[in-house]
PDB file of all heavy atoms in Angstrom:
ATOM      1  N   VAL A 678     168.847  83.237  95.934  1.00 90.00           N
ATOM      2  CA  VAL A 678     169.597  83.285  97.201  1.00 90.00           C
ATOM      3  C   VAL A 678     170.907  82.519  97.033  1.00 90.00           C
ATOM      4  O   VAL A 678     171.069  81.709  96.120  1.00 90.00           O
ATOM      5  CB  VAL A 678     168.790  82.674  98.368  1.00 90.00           C
ATOM      6  CG1 VAL A 678     167.571  83.507  98.688  1.00 90.00           C
ATOM      7  CG2 VAL A 678     168.413  81.228  98.083  1.00 90.00           C
ATOM      8  N   VAL A 695     170.546  87.567  99.277  1.00 89.00           N
ATOM      9  CA  VAL A 695     169.412  87.519  98.359  1.00 89.00           C
ATOM     10  C   VAL A 695     169.619  88.533  97.242  1.00 89.00           C
ATOM     11  O   VAL A 695     170.207  89.604  97.449  1.00 89.00           O
ATOM     12  CB  VAL A 695     168.081  87.783  99.114  1.00 89.00           C
ATOM     13  CG1 VAL A 695     168.088  89.163  99.737  1.00 89.00           C
ATOM     14  CG2 VAL A 695     166.886  87.596  98.201  1.00 89.00           C
ATOM     15  N   PHE A 696     169.144  88.191  96.037  1.00 88.00           N
ATOM     16  CA  PHE A 696     169.230  89.101  94.890  1.00 88.00           C
ATOM     17  C   PHE A 696     167.866  89.750  94.692  1.00 88.00           C
ATOM     18  O   PHE A 696     166.861  89.073  94.498  1.00 88.00           O
ATOM     19  CB  PHE A 696     169.633  88.332  93.635  1.00 88.00           C
ATOM     20  CG  PHE A 696     169.953  89.222  92.463  1.00 88.00           C
ATOM     21  CD1 PHE A 696     171.195  89.838  92.358  1.00 88.00           C
ATOM     22  CD2 PHE A 696     169.016  89.456  91.467  1.00 88.00           C
ATOM     23  CE1 PHE A 696     171.498  90.658  91.286  1.00 88.00           C
ATOM     24  CE2 PHE A 696     169.306  90.283  90.393  1.00 88.00           C
ATOM     25  CZ  PHE A 696     170.555  90.877  90.297  1.00 88.00           C
ATOM     26  N   ALA A 697     167.837  91.089  94.755  1.00 87.00           N
ATOM     27  CA  ALA A 697     166.580  91.819  94.581  1.00 87.00           C
ATOM     28  C   ALA A 697     166.884  93.212  94.072  1.00 87.00           C
ATOM     29  O   ALA A 697     167.851  93.839  94.504  1.00 87.00           O
ATOM     30  CB  ALA A 697     165.795  91.893  95.893  1.00 87.00           C
ATOM     31  N   GLY A 702     172.231  91.528  98.245  1.00 84.00           N
ATOM     32  CA  GLY A 702     172.258  92.115  99.584  1.00 84.00           C
ATOM     33  C   GLY A 702     172.108  91.020 100.618  1.00 84.00           C
ATOM     34  O   GLY A 702     171.911  89.843 100.287  1.00 84.00           O
ATOM     35  N   THR A 703     172.194  91.416 101.863  1.00 85.00           N
ATOM     36  CA  THR A 703     172.083  90.433 102.934  1.00 85.00           C
ATOM     37  C   THR A 703     170.675  90.403 103.498  1.00 85.00           C
ATOM     38  O   THR A 703     169.906  91.355 103.364  1.00 85.00           O
ATOM     39  CB  THR A 703     173.067  90.750 104.067  1.00 85.00           C
ATOM     40  OG1 THR A 703     172.795  92.047 104.552  1.00 85.00           O
ATOM     41  CG2 THR A 703     174.495  90.677 103.598  1.00 85.00           C
ATOM     42  N   VAL A 704     170.362  89.308 104.137  1.00 85.00           N
ATOM     43  CA  VAL A 704     169.102  89.157 104.854  1.00 85.00           C
ATOM     44  C   VAL A 704     169.405  89.334 106.334  1.00 85.00           C
ATOM     45  O   VAL A 704     170.311  88.722 106.871  1.00 85.00           O
ATOM     46  CB  VAL A 704     168.481  87.770 104.613  1.00 85.00           C
ATOM     47  CG1 VAL A 704     167.218  87.593 105.465  1.00 85.00           C
ATOM     48  CG2 VAL A 704     168.168  87.588 103.141  1.00 85.00           C
ATOM     49  N   CYS A 705     168.641  90.206 106.977  1.00 82.00           N
ATOM     50  CA  CYS A 705     168.890  90.498 108.381  1.00 82.00           C
ATOM     51  C   CYS A 705     167.568  90.411 109.117  1.00 82.00           C
ATOM     52  O   CYS A 705     166.612  91.094 108.760  1.00 82.00           O
ATOM     53  CB  CYS A 705     169.504  91.889 108.512  1.00 82.00           C
ATOM     54  SG  CYS A 705     169.717  92.412 110.203  1.00 82.00           S
ATOM     55  N   ASP A 706     167.500  89.573 110.141  1.00 76.00           N
ATOM     56  CA  ASP A 706     166.196  89.365 110.757  1.00 76.00           C
ATOM     57  C   ASP A 706     166.368  88.810 112.162  1.00 76.00           C
ATOM     58  O   ASP A 706     166.846  87.699 112.350  1.00 76.00           O
ATOM     59  CB  ASP A 706     165.376  88.389 109.904  1.00 76.00           C
ATOM     60  CG  ASP A 706     163.899  88.404 110.278  1.00 76.00           C
ATOM     61  OD1 ASP A 706     163.592  88.860 111.384  1.00 76.00           O
ATOM     62  OD2 ASP A 706     163.092  87.965 109.468  1.00 76.00           O
ATOM     63  N   TRP A 709     164.294  85.504 112.488  1.00 86.00           N
ATOM     64  CA  TRP A 709     164.555  84.455 111.500  1.00 86.00           C
ATOM     65  C   TRP A 709     164.241  83.089 112.089  1.00 86.00           C
ATOM     66  O   TRP A 709     164.656  82.786 113.210  1.00 86.00           O
ATOM     67  CB  TRP A 709     166.025  84.554 111.098  1.00 86.00           C
ATOM     68  CG  TRP A 709     166.448  83.630 110.004  1.00 86.00           C
ATOM     69  CD1 TRP A 709     167.179  82.495 110.152  1.00 86.00           C
ATOM     70  CD2 TRP A 709     166.210  83.768 108.606  1.00 86.00           C
ATOM     71  NE1 TRP A 709     167.408  81.914 108.939  1.00 86.00           N
ATOM     72  CE2 TRP A 709     166.823  82.676 107.967  1.00 86.00           C
ATOM     73  CE3 TRP A 709     165.521  84.708 107.837  1.00 86.00           C
ATOM     74  CZ2 TRP A 709     166.783  82.500 106.590  1.00 86.00           C
ATOM     75  CZ3 TRP A 709     165.480  84.533 106.479  1.00 86.00           C
ATOM     76  CH2 TRP A 709     166.104  83.441 105.866  1.00 86.00           C
ATOM     77  N   PRO A 742     174.396  95.896 100.894  1.00 79.00           N
ATOM     78  CA  PRO A 742     173.231  96.471 101.588  1.00 79.00           C
ATOM     79  C   PRO A 742     172.398  95.373 102.236  1.00 79.00           C
ATOM     80  O   PRO A 742     172.410  94.225 101.803  1.00 79.00           O
ATOM     81  CB  PRO A 742     172.449  97.148 100.456  1.00 79.00           C
ATOM     82  CG  PRO A 742     172.831  96.377  99.226  1.00 79.00           C
ATOM     83  CD  PRO A 742     174.275  95.989  99.427  1.00 79.00           C
ATOM     84  N   ILE A 743     171.670  95.727 103.276  1.00 84.00           N
ATOM     85  CA  ILE A 743     170.716  94.800 103.878  1.00 84.00           C
ATOM     86  C   ILE A 743     169.380  95.004 103.165  1.00 84.00           C
ATOM     87  O   ILE A 743     168.779  96.076 103.258  1.00 84.00           O
ATOM     88  CB  ILE A 743     170.588  95.046 105.383  1.00 84.00           C
ATOM     89  CG1 ILE A 743     171.949  94.809 106.053  1.00 84.00           C
ATOM     90  CG2 ILE A 743     169.529  94.151 105.996  1.00 84.00           C
ATOM     91  CD1 ILE A 743     171.980  95.192 107.506  1.00 84.00           C
ATOM     92  N   LEU A 744     168.925  93.986 102.444  1.00 85.00           N
ATOM     93  CA  LEU A 744     167.739  94.150 101.590  1.00 85.00           C
ATOM     94  C   LEU A 744     166.441  93.744 102.274  1.00 85.00           C
ATOM     95  O   LEU A 744     165.399  94.343 102.046  1.00 85.00           O
ATOM     96  CB  LEU A 744     167.906  93.349 100.299  1.00 85.00           C
ATOM     97  CG  LEU A 744     169.027  93.814  99.357  1.00 85.00           C
ATOM     98  CD1 LEU A 744     169.029  92.984  98.101  1.00 85.00           C
ATOM     99  CD2 LEU A 744     168.870  95.284  99.017  1.00 85.00           C
ATOM    100  N   LEU A 745     166.483  92.694 103.082  1.00 87.00           N
ATOM    101  CA  LEU A 745     165.252  92.193 103.694  1.00 87.00           C
ATOM    102  C   LEU A 745     165.385  92.157 105.209  1.00 87.00           C
ATOM    103  O   LEU A 745     166.405  91.726 105.742  1.00 87.00           O
ATOM    104  CB  LEU A 745     164.931  90.774 103.192  1.00 87.00           C
ATOM    105  CG  LEU A 745     164.655  90.596 101.700  1.00 87.00           C
ATOM    106  CD1 LEU A 745     164.294  89.144 101.416  1.00 87.00           C
ATOM    107  CD2 LEU A 745     163.542  91.517 101.241  1.00 87.00           C
ATOM    108  N   ASP A 746     164.328  92.601 105.872  1.00 85.00           N
ATOM    109  CA  ASP A 746     164.280  92.536 107.335  1.00 85.00           C
ATOM    110  C   ASP A 746     162.874  92.082 107.736  1.00 85.00           C
ATOM    111  O   ASP A 746     161.910  92.268 106.991  1.00 85.00           O
ATOM    112  CB  ASP A 746     164.600  93.909 107.927  1.00 85.00           C
ATOM    113  CG  ASP A 746     164.689  93.866 109.449  1.00 85.00           C
ATOM    114  OD1 ASP A 746     164.929  92.775 109.995  1.00 85.00           O
ATOM    115  OD2 ASP A 746     164.513  94.921 110.075  1.00 85.00           O
ATOM    116  N   ASP A 747     162.794  91.463 108.907  1.00 84.00           N
ATOM    117  CA  ASP A 747     161.498  91.077 109.460  1.00 84.00           C
ATOM    118  C   ASP A 747     160.746  90.159 108.499  1.00 84.00           C
ATOM    119  O   ASP A 747     159.605  90.409 108.118  1.00 84.00           O
ATOM    120  CB  ASP A 747     160.671  92.327 109.775  1.00 84.00           C
ATOM    121  CG  ASP A 747     159.497  92.012 110.702  1.00 84.00           C
ATOM    122  OD1 ASP A 747     159.559  90.966 111.368  1.00 84.00           O
ATOM    123  OD2 ASP A 747     158.546  92.794 110.716  1.00 84.00           O
ATOM    124  N   VAL A 748     161.425  89.056 108.091  1.00 88.00           N
ATOM    125  CA  VAL A 748     160.856  88.118 107.119  1.00 88.00           C
ATOM    126  C   VAL A 748     159.948  87.119 107.833  1.00 88.00           C
ATOM    127  O   VAL A 748     160.328  86.546 108.850  1.00 88.00           O
ATOM    128  CB  VAL A 748     161.980  87.367 106.372  1.00 88.00           C
ATOM    129  CG1 VAL A 748     161.389  86.369 105.382  1.00 88.00           C
ATOM    130  CG2 VAL A 748     162.871  88.369 105.648  1.00 88.00           C
ATOM    131  N   ASN A 756     160.462  81.632  96.953  1.00 90.00           N
ATOM    132  CA  ASN A 756     161.671  82.362  97.336  1.00 90.00           C
ATOM    133  C   ASN A 756     161.322  83.359  98.436  1.00 90.00           C
ATOM    134  O   ASN A 756     160.145  83.561  98.759  1.00 90.00           O
ATOM    135  CB  ASN A 756     162.324  83.053  96.134  1.00 90.00           C
ATOM    136  CG  ASN A 756     161.415  84.076  95.485  1.00 90.00           C
ATOM    137  OD1 ASN A 756     160.899  84.982  96.146  1.00 90.00           O
ATOM    138  ND2 ASN A 756     161.197  83.939  94.176  1.00 90.00           N
ATOM    139  N   LEU A 757     162.321  83.973  98.991  1.00 91.00           N
ATOM    140  CA  LEU A 757     162.116  84.859 100.137  1.00 91.00           C
ATOM    141  C   LEU A 757     161.313  86.102  99.796  1.00 91.00           C
ATOM    142  O   LEU A 757     160.659  86.684 100.670  1.00 91.00           O
ATOM    143  CB  LEU A 757     163.478  85.278 100.734  1.00 91.00           C
ATOM    144  CG  LEU A 757     164.269  84.180 101.438  1.00 91.00           C
ATOM    145  CD1 LEU A 757     165.598  84.731 101.941  1.00 91.00           C
ATOM    146  CD2 LEU A 757     163.476  83.605 102.613  1.00 91.00           C
ATOM    147  N   LEU A 758     161.345  86.516  98.524  1.00 90.00           N
ATOM    148  CA  LEU A 758     160.573  87.703  98.154  1.00 90.00           C
ATOM    149  C   LEU A 758     159.078  87.469  98.231  1.00 90.00           C
ATOM    150  O   LEU A 758     158.292  88.409  98.348  1.00 90.00           O
ATOM    151  CB  LEU A 758     160.960  88.175  96.750  1.00 90.00           C
ATOM    152  CG  LEU A 758     162.386  88.715  96.590  1.00 90.00           C
ATOM    153  CD1 LEU A 758     162.595  89.234  95.181  1.00 90.00           C
ATOM    154  CD2 LEU A 758     162.681  89.807  97.613  1.00 90.00           C
ATOM    155  N   GLU A 759     158.665  86.201  98.165  1.00 90.00           N
ATOM    156  CA  GLU A 759     157.243  85.884  98.278  1.00 90.00           C
ATOM    157  C   GLU A 759     156.781  85.858  99.732  1.00 90.00           C
ATOM    158  O   GLU A 759     155.576  85.844  99.995  1.00 90.00           O
ATOM    159  CB  GLU A 759     156.947  84.536  97.614  1.00 90.00           C
ATOM    160  CG  GLU A 759     157.141  84.572  96.104  1.00 90.00           C
ATOM    161  CD  GLU A 759     156.734  83.255  95.446  1.00 90.00           C
ATOM    162  OE1 GLU A 759     156.359  82.308  96.187  1.00 90.00           O
ATOM    163  OE2 GLU A 759     156.794  83.173  94.210  1.00 90.00           O
ATOM    164  N   CYS A 760     157.733  85.809 100.654  1.00 89.00           N
ATOM    165  CA  CYS A 760     157.381  85.829 102.076  1.00 89.00           C
ATOM    166  C   CYS A 760     156.986  87.254 102.480  1.00 89.00           C
ATOM    167  O   CYS A 760     157.339  88.240 101.821  1.00 89.00           O
ATOM    168  CB  CYS A 760     158.560  85.376 102.935  1.00 89.00           C
ATOM    169  SG  CYS A 760     159.130  83.687 102.600  1.00 89.00           S
ATOM    170  N   HIS A 762     157.475  90.539 104.361  1.00 87.00           N
ATOM    171  CA  HIS A 762     158.670  91.195 104.923  1.00 87.00           C
ATOM    172  C   HIS A 762     158.419  92.695 104.995  1.00 87.00           C
ATOM    173  O   HIS A 762     157.421  93.214 104.469  1.00 87.00           O
ATOM    174  CB  HIS A 762     159.916  90.872 104.095  1.00 87.00           C
ATOM    175  CG  HIS A 762     159.765  91.134 102.635  1.00 87.00           C
ATOM    176  ND1 HIS A 762     159.808  92.392 102.085  1.00 87.00           N
ATOM    177  CD2 HIS A 762     159.554  90.275 101.592  1.00 87.00           C
ATOM    178  CE1 HIS A 762     159.665  92.307 100.780  1.00 87.00           C
ATOM    179  NE2 HIS A 762     159.488  91.035 100.449  1.00 87.00           N
ATOM    180  N   ALA A 763     159.314  93.380 105.656  1.00 82.00           N
ATOM    181  CA  ALA A 763     159.120  94.803 105.918  1.00 82.00           C
ATOM    182  C   ALA A 763     159.418  95.671 104.704  1.00 82.00           C
ATOM    183  O   ALA A 763     159.257  96.883 104.776  1.00 82.00           O
ATOM    184  CB  ALA A 763     160.008  95.242 107.083  1.00 82.00           C
ATOM    185  N   GLY A 764     159.844  95.069 103.603  1.00 82.00           N
ATOM    186  CA  GLY A 764     160.135  95.840 102.397  1.00 82.00           C
ATOM    187  C   GLY A 764     161.585  95.692 101.971  1.00 82.00           C
ATOM    188  O   GLY A 764     162.484  95.533 102.797  1.00 82.00           O
ATOM    189  N   VAL A 765     161.784  95.746 100.657  1.00 85.00           N
ATOM    190  CA  VAL A 765     163.140  95.619 100.128  1.00 85.00           C
ATOM    191  C   VAL A 765     163.924  96.883 100.467  1.00 85.00           C
ATOM    192  O   VAL A 765     163.490  98.002 100.164  1.00 85.00           O
ATOM    193  CB  VAL A 765     163.114  95.401  98.598  1.00 85.00           C
ATOM    194  CG1 VAL A 765     164.536  95.386  98.042  1.00 85.00           C
ATOM    195  CG2 VAL A 765     162.394  94.106  98.270  1.00 85.00           C
ATOM    196  N   GLY A 766     165.041  96.691 101.089  1.00 80.00           N
ATOM    197  CA  GLY A 766     165.903  97.825 101.420  1.00 80.00           C
ATOM    198  C   GLY A 766     165.515  98.547 102.689  1.00 80.00           C
ATOM    199  O   GLY A 766     166.185  99.490 103.100  1.00 80.00           O
ATOM    200  N   THR A 767     164.433  98.162 103.322  1.00 75.00           N
ATOM    201  CA  THR A 767     164.002  98.809 104.562  1.00 75.00           C
ATOM    202  C   THR A 767     164.407  97.926 105.735  1.00 75.00           C
ATOM    203  O   THR A 767     164.027  96.761 105.787  1.00 75.00           O
ATOM    204  CB  THR A 767     162.476  98.997 104.572  1.00 75.00           C
ATOM    205  OG1 THR A 767     162.098  99.792 103.452  1.00 75.00           O
ATOM    206  CG2 THR A 767     162.036  99.681 105.868  1.00 75.00           C
ATOM    207  N   HIS A 768     165.162  98.475 106.658  1.00 78.00           N
ATOM    208  CA  HIS A 768     165.639  97.629 107.754  1.00 78.00           C
ATOM    209  C   HIS A 768     166.032  98.499 108.936  1.00 78.00           C
ATOM    210  O   HIS A 768     166.216  99.708 108.817  1.00 78.00           O
ATOM    211  CB  HIS A 768     166.839  96.786 107.325  1.00 78.00           C
ATOM    212  CG  HIS A 768     168.023  97.613 106.933  1.00 78.00           C
ATOM    213  ND1 HIS A 768     168.942  98.062 107.837  1.00 78.00           N
ATOM    214  CD2 HIS A 768     168.424  98.082 105.716  1.00 78.00           C
ATOM    215  CE1 HIS A 768     169.859  98.763 107.225  1.00 78.00           C
ATOM    216  NE2 HIS A 768     169.578  98.796 105.933  1.00 78.00           N
ATOM    217  N   CYS A 770     168.514  97.023 111.228  1.00 76.00           N
ATOM    218  CA  CYS A 770     169.483  96.104 111.825  1.00 76.00           C
ATOM    219  C   CYS A 770     170.871  96.309 111.205  1.00 76.00           C
ATOM    220  O   CYS A 770     171.019  97.060 110.244  1.00 76.00           O
ATOM    221  CB  CYS A 770     169.042  94.660 111.655  1.00 76.00           C
ATOM    222  SG  CYS A 770     168.630  94.236 109.953  1.00 76.00           S
TER     223      CYS A 770
END
Side-chain angles (χ1 to χ4, degrees):
V678 294
V695 62
F696 189 81
T703 58
V704 175
C705 175
D706 195 341
W709 185 255
I743 298 173
L744 294 183
L745 297 183
D746 185 23
D747 196 20
V748 179
N756 61 54
L757 291 179
L758 293 184
E759 293 185 357
C760 299
H762 52 77
V765 175
T767 301
H768 62 86
C770 52

